Amino acid sequence: MRLHEYQAKEVFADAGIPTPDAALARTVDEAVEAAGDIGYPVAIKAQVHVGGRGKAGGIKLVENDDEAREAADEILGMDLKGYTVDRVLVEEAVDFVNELYVGVTMDRGEGKPVAMVSTRGGVNIEEVAEEDPDAIAREHIDPAFGMHQYEARKVVYEAGVDQDIAMDVASILSTLYDLWEERDGADAEINPLMVTADDEVIAADAVFNLDGDALFRQQDLAELEDEAAEDDLEAKANEYGFDYVRLSGNVGIIGNGAGLVMTTLDLVDYYGGKPANFLDIGGGAKAERVANALDMVFSDENVDAVVFNIFGGITRGDEVANGINQALEQFDDIPKQVIVRLAGTNAEEGMEILNTDLVQVEATLEDAVQAAVKAADEVEQ
């Protein structure tokens, strides 16, 4: 479960982490009134569950009422990466001299939580990790004992944080870890943690995602879940009963079984593509269910090609083939190129049923994935 920025900041502030003065607004008039109460300059920030809001026009810095009204009018109601903005956070602008990153998540490879600090805050931390991994200091924490103060200080110093603010940053990191642990967090981060000229550190952004399986222990936070924030595709997935996660790429992926879908995602990435989704239709999928899956992926405007990976066990190849034909026959023109790999139970019967005028068939998963990545690249060009 993901909290909105304003919700995460309330949790952080209650725990003692400094945050800017702010107010939530759902209308233009409320935004202008809040900006006047806080005092200019202020930032008006779209509250949706996506990253890169600033680059997409979802965050604007304003200096007066007229600018606040114009910015709020532009942001409220806008479509931001598939989400409709229905609320904004009006927040005191922080006059900063430096931006840091602090975060806590689970390192599944090590089987331990990891605390992270970087002096390269305010940018996409995933890009920093890929381009310059040494720019992020890390400290693995033994969950049996929690984070010791010396561990917080150690990772802060290793990151190269200025000595004048190091203790304050270490304190914020310790608090963040305590929240992550006590509140069943999945990810907790502040990016950026802004540093002012007076050496104050302020959480200018906040991310706090919770373990959905632990919400029964966090009833107060569970009540904050924003069902309206679900985009249309996620709502459709719930309606169809699919396990679905929307991603940012352009290669749509459908499979029967979580492991099979994850393998397909990994291969798309391996062959230079970008997965657009995780969609598991489950075992025993009938023709109607397969048709619904294709309808979902076709509905994603980011998808340029689809790879359909089915290994027959409970799911029969002929049923899948019927579903694919049924879905594609609904379209006068096939909106996306579909590449199918079919193996296992009744695969041969399914291959005979498939309308190869509508789909491209590949014998192996590797060939199917490469064909889908190539087809998506051609659309992008």
Side-chain angles (χ1 to χ4, degrees), residues 261-311:
V261 178
M262 287 301 299
T263 300
T264 312
L265 262 76
D266 289 342
L267 281 174
V268 168
D269 183 70
Y270 178 78
Y271 287 117
K274 295 181 179 179
N277 65 270
F278 172 105
L279 202 169
D280 174 15
I281 62 175
K286 303 297 183 181
E288 181 182 1
R289 189 166 175 82
V290 177
N292 289 340
L294 279 168
D295 173 59
M296 270 202 63
V297 178
F298 284 165
S299 298
D300 187 344
E301 295 180 356
N302 293 330
V303 171
D304 293 322
V306 181
V307 58
F308 209 119
N309 183 18
I310 296 294
F311 189 88

Side-chain angles (χ1 to χ4, degrees), residues 5 11 31 39 41 48 52 62 83 96 106 128 150-151 165 176 217 230 237 307 312 324-325 348:
E5 176 192 2
V11 174
V48 288
V62 299
Y83 293 84
F96 65 94
M106 175 61 71
V128 175
Y150 79 86
E151 292 175 310
I165 59 170
L176 197 65
R217 291 198 298 241
E230 222 175 31
V307 58
I324 294 172
N325 288 343
E348 293 182 4

Side-chain angles (χ1 to χ4, degrees), residues 30 102 135 152 160 243 245-246 281:
E30 287 180 0
V102 297
D243 289 326
V245 179
R246 192 175 188 181
I281 62 175

Side-chain angles (χ1 to χ4, degrees), residues 204-222:
D205 195 10
V207 171
F208 197 43
N209 300 329
L210 308 176
D211 181 349
D213 292 329
L215 290 181
F216 70 95
R217 291 198 298 241
Q218 308 291 343
Q219 290 296 320
D220 57 331
L221 296 183

Side-chain angles (χ1 to χ4, degrees), residues 312-328:
I314 299 173
T315 303
R316 290 166 36 192
D318 53 343
E319 287 282 356
V320 175
N322 280 325
I324 294 172
N325 288 343
Q326 178 181 322
L328 295 179

Side-chain angles (χ1 to χ4, degrees), residues 80-100:
L80 197 62
K81 299 184 179 180
Y83 293 84
T84 300
V85 179
D86 66 356
R87 73 200 77 175
V88 294
L89 183 65
V90 183
E91 184 174 84
E92 172 191 10
V94 179
D95 186 11
F96 65 94
V97 296
N98 198 5
E99 295 177 293
L100 309 176

Side-chain angles (χ1 to χ4, degrees), residues 139-159:
E139 182 71 16
H140 288 91
I141 309 301
D142 188 333
F145 299 100
M147 175 180 277
H148 296 291
Q149 287 297 315
Y150 79 86
E151 292 175 310
R153 293 193 295 268
K154 177 173 177 283
V155 68
V156 167
Y157 285 124
E158 286 180 352

